[in-house]
Amino acid sequence: MPSFSPPLRDLAFVLHDLLGAPAALAALPQHAEVSAELLDQIAQEAGRFAAEKILPLNPGADKIGCLWSDGKVAAPPGFVQAYDEFCELGWPSMCADIDDGGQALPRLVFSVVGEMLSSCSHAFVMYAAVNHCAASCLRNSASEALRKQWLAPLANGQVTTSMCMTEAQAGSDIGLLSTRATATDDGHFLITGNKIFASGAEHDLTPDIMHLVLARLAGAPAGSRGLSLFLVPKLLSDGTHNTVHCDGIEHKMGLHGSPTCSMRFEQAQGWLVGEPNQGLRAMFPMMNEARLLSGLQAVGLSEQALQNSLEYARERRQGRSASGPGPCAIIEHPDVQRMLLTQKAWTEGARAFVHWVALLLDVAQWHPDADIRNDTASLVEFLTPLVKGFLTENAQQSISAAIQIHGGHGYIAETGIEQLARDARITTIYEGTTGIQAQDLLLRKVLGDGGQRLALLQERVQAWLTLQAEQAHMQEFVQPLNAAMQSVNEATALLSQREQTQAGSSLAVSTHYLRLAGHLVFAFLWAQAAAAAWEAAQQGSAWHKAKLTTARFYFSQLLPESSHLMAAIAAEPLNMEAAFEAA
């Protein structure tokens, strides 16, 4: 079984040295009393709980998985007990409002805890973290009556939730959904239809499950504009079962401990969330939270892969080093060092990214200056598809490197490394594939607003570059960061012009654009990390020297991908359909 030690030292560096989280929270009246000590204590306790209680369950979650029988699903062994303890310790209520029985802690706290859980069991976090996403949906769009009824049980974990969106004939094209909703005289609706790929829509961790279901009212407009959102409980208020049925669970490549359900609604009672025909708008807060959760999962899985790669490379003796006779520890081999540093750069950069966005969410919600709140919210909108698309794709590279470092031992089941690869693969697919994130980023978040959201990031980058202009020791980071920003500007201008000439023509390279923009964010964060580590490294701190080395590796070995991406974006568009025409 893979081992895991909570990465408290690097997390503290991110929160305190890089992001200055305590000072940022102190500027928010809602969170002014959240101290550095409290953040560290929460991280320590979350890491302990995850490592001691959740990690040992992960092999069984993969090997035994969830069991479906006669419409019911049993979670993997130990999950019910672990979830009960998770709730008893108050973890689900961390960020819920005081009025709902919560602790009203910052969104940043959810991010920290979510990373720890994700490192130890991707499957468990699928049950434990989605309530936070659903609560965001209800707080933004549900009626007061629904909020009073459901936010408290979501906060204490007595109820879990699922998103029921996908249908077999529609896939990601939700405008093709056919599930129907019929109004009744007493104010609720009857929901009829079938959904697939509904994570956690049936299990035995809690008696009740709150389903958020997209359906179409009679006479609604065609396409996605005619969808409404409904809250459909597993149990009705009198304790009887709603007419909601689980017809089976998917047999998947990985993530066996989280049931992916096929659901059937037969005139099930549901209640409208938000306005009629505005279902997507109502669901967006939950979907965006889920996309950010995917980024946390990418960090957690990558961290476990990195830790086990490093441990194996230090212990495994094979071959000869350049400086002496063999056998030597394989960590002495330059190519193994390259793979380890690739893992380290992707993982530590991703940690900084996800927790930065979490902190931005707190600022966007609670800062006393309305202009700052609005601008920060717009910046988060720009960054969200990057968290989802860039970080989850990088996790595939990181875990693939872990398998390669372990060699044959990474390919067999005993070490648990191949489970990480199978579990992580879904993160690039659910909540919108990488291509969908790229389309959203380019067409909606950049070209759709004339580059205003992008400019909010560029202003921060430029302000930091200006501060570093006279710092000679920072030029090795300043210059490539400035070049990364210029590449994004050039690509944006080129694709904007291309779209004006032929709408949709830029989509062939939108994924390249997403990675180009992702590298800009990573270069910004790694440059700041280098600045934060510099002084301590000069004073001899081995830990900070390692951080500087990782920053240099990112800039010299990973950021150059931007040149390839830029060349691909600038190339003359091809008629790619012609490649698939019959001879």
Side-chain angles (χ1 to χ4, degrees):
M1 181 181 77
S3 61
F4 172 73
S5 297
L8 299 178
R9 182 64 188 86
D10 194 58
L11 183 60
F13 175 83
V14 168
L15 296 180
H16 306 315
D17 301 338
L18 179 58
L19 301 181
L25 293 172
L28 311 179
Q30 177 77 1
H31 300 308
E33 297 182 0
V34 177
S35 64
E37 292 74 18
L38 179 60
L39 290 175
D40 290 343
Q41 182 182 9
I42 291 171
Q44 183 176 355
E45 287 303 308
R48 181 198 61 78
F49 178 82
E52 294 180 4
K53 303 294 184 179
I54 305 304
L55 182 65
L57 305 178
N58 205 39
D62 184 55
K63 294 176 183 177
I64 300 172
C66 297
L67 302 177
W68 178 91
S69 177
D70 195 25
K72 298 180 180 180
V73 175
F79 269 46
V80 171
Q81 295 79 6
Y83 182 78
D84 287 345
E85 186 172 353
F86 180 74
C87 295
E88 289 171 5
L89 292 171
W91 291 113
S93 67
M94 293 178 303
C95 300
D97 293 340
I98 297 294
D99 292 343
D100 301 319
Q103 304 172 55
L105 289 169
R107 174 60 173 73
L108 179 61
V109 168
F110 172 83
S111 189
V112 169
V113 175
E115 180 196 332
M116 297 297 181
L117 292 175
S118 296
S119 289
C120 293
S121 176
H122 187 180
F124 185 83
V125 84
M126 293 293 289
Y127 301 96
V130 180
N131 278 16
H132 171 88
C133 307
S136 179
C137 170
L138 297 189
R139 281 195 299 268
N140 280 277
S141 298
S143 66
E144 182 178 358
L146 287 180
R147 292 198 303 270
K148 286 184 177 180
Q149 181 180 357
W150 291 101
L151 285 176
L154 286 175
N156 61 32
Q158 292 177 356
V159 170
T160 59
T161 190
S162 77
M163 281 193 291
C164 294
M165 299 174 60
T166 309
E167 297 179 12
Q169 81 286 353
S172 296
D173 189 354
I174 57 176
L176 299 178
L177 299 186
S178 61
T179 298
R180 304 185 308 277
T182 304
T184 67
D185 293 336
D186 61 3
H188 70 266
F189 295 79
L190 300 179
I191 313 300
T192 300
N194 296 277
K195 301 287 184 178
I196 62 171
F197 299 163
S199 297
E202 171 57 28
H203 56 73
D204 57 353
L205 270 63
T206 56
D208 200 3
I209 301 172
M210 185 193 80
H211 307 290
L212 289 171
V213 184
L214 284 176
R216 196 178 301 278
L217 290 163
S224 60
R225 293 178 301 168
L227 296 175
S228 301
L229 182 63
F230 298 90
L231 188 160
V232 183
K234 176 180 177 179
L235 300 179
L236 299 174
S237 58
D238 62 1
T240 60
H241 280 259
N242 205 352
T243 49
V244 178
H245 310 280
C246 177
D247 289 336
I249 57 176
E250 301 296 339
H251 302 282
K252 300 174 294 188
M253 173 182 177
L255 198 55
H256 300 153
S258 171
T260 304
C261 304
S262 298
M263 302 299 294
R264 173 168 44 93
F265 300 86
E266 292 187 335
Q267 292 196 317
Q269 295 185 38
W271 285 261
L272 182 68
V273 178
E275 298 297 322
N277 306 327
Q278 297 294 320
L280 282 183
R281 178 178 294 180
M283 193 166 244
F284 271 142
M286 183 174 186
M287 293 168 63
N288 284 332
E289 285 285 359
R291 287 165 179 162
L292 296 175
L293 178 59
S294 297
L296 281 172
Q297 293 162 349
V299 177
L301 291 161
S302 297
E303 176 63 33
Q304 189 184 129
L306 169 61
Q307 288 190 20
N308 285 272
S309 294
L310 188 56
E311 180 180 2
Y312 184 82
R314 286 169 171 162
E315 295 177 352
R316 176 69 170 174
R317 304 187 70 80
Q318 183 175 320
R320 295 189 297 272
S321 70
S323 58
C328 67
I330 64 171
I331 197 172
E332 297 182 39
H333 298 320
D335 194 56
V336 172
Q337 295 171 0
R338 175 191 63 80
M339 290 187 286
L340 286 168
L341 272 170
T342 298
Q343 288 187 265
K344 197 168 186 288
W346 284 142
T347 303
E348 293 178 5
R351 174 173 296 115
F353 197 168
V354 294
H355 297 320
W356 178 43
V357 172
L359 184 60
L360 290 175
L361 283 168
D362 287 319
V363 173
Q365 184 174 6
W366 298 112
H367 199 281
D369 187 312
D371 289 338
I372 292 177
R373 290 198 306 272
N374 292 334
D375 284 350
T376 306
S378 294
L379 177 59
V380 170
E381 290 176 353
F382 171 82
L383 295 173
T384 296
L386 295 176
V387 170
K388 173 60 174 70
F390 191 63
L391 300 192
T392 59
E393 290 288 350
N394 294 343
Q396 313 306 311
Q397 295 184 30
S398 183
I399 298 170
S400 177
I403 294 176
Q404 195 74 6
I405 290 167
H406 281 78
H409 293 283
Y411 193 68
I412 63 176
E414 281 78 1
T415 60
I417 301 301
E418 56 86 34
Q419 180 191 345
L420 298 179
R422 290 184 288 105
D423 285 357
R425 190 62 186 88
I426 188 61
T427 63
T428 66
I429 299 171
Y430 60 15
E431 313 309 335
T433 63
T434 304
I436 290 173
Q437 303 303 317
Q439 179 176 325
D440 175 56
L441 174 71
L442 179 60
L443 295 188
R444 295 186 180 91
K445 306 296 173 58
V446 177
L447 302 184
D449 73 349
Q452 294 181 37
R453 293 182 182 90
L454 172 60
L456 292 169
L457 172 64
Q458 292 172 321
E459 289 168 5
R460 289 175 180 249
V461 174
Q462 188 58 59
W464 188 85
L465 287 170
T466 301
L467 288 174
Q468 302 299 320
E470 303 302 322
Q471 303 296 321
H473 65 276
M474 288 302 298
Q475 295 312 299
E476 62 176 307
F477 308 108
V478 164
Q479 293 177 13
L481 171 57
N482 187 62
M485 186 162 65
Q486 294 306 315
S487 292
V488 171
N489 288 339
E490 292 173 14
T492 303
L494 175 64
L495 296 179
S496 176
Q497 183 179 23
R498 194 174 289 172
E499 279 296 302
Q500 292 174 16
T501 303
Q502 184 179 357
S505 60
S506 63
L507 293 181
V509 294
S510 60
T511 299
H512 294 329
Y513 183 87
L514 180 144
R515 290 202 62 80
L516 191 70
H519 272 297
L520 171 58
V521 176
F522 256 49
F524 182 38
L525 291 168
W526 269 116
Q528 292 177 86
W534 181 268
E535 184 175 347
Q538 304 315 301
Q539 294 175 358
S541 168
W543 191 93
H544 290 88
K545 286 182 179 179
K547 180 64 74 171
L548 263 181
T549 299
T550 309
R552 288 177 172 131
F553 180 87
Y554 168 76
F555 277 98
S556 67
Q557 301 298 315
L558 300 181
L559 181 60
E561 181 192 3
S562 296
S563 297
H564 159 74
L565 295 167
M566 194 62 212
I569 290 170
E572 188 71 22
L574 298 174
N575 177 14
M576 290 188 287
E577 290 184 11
F580 307 105
E581 293 178 356

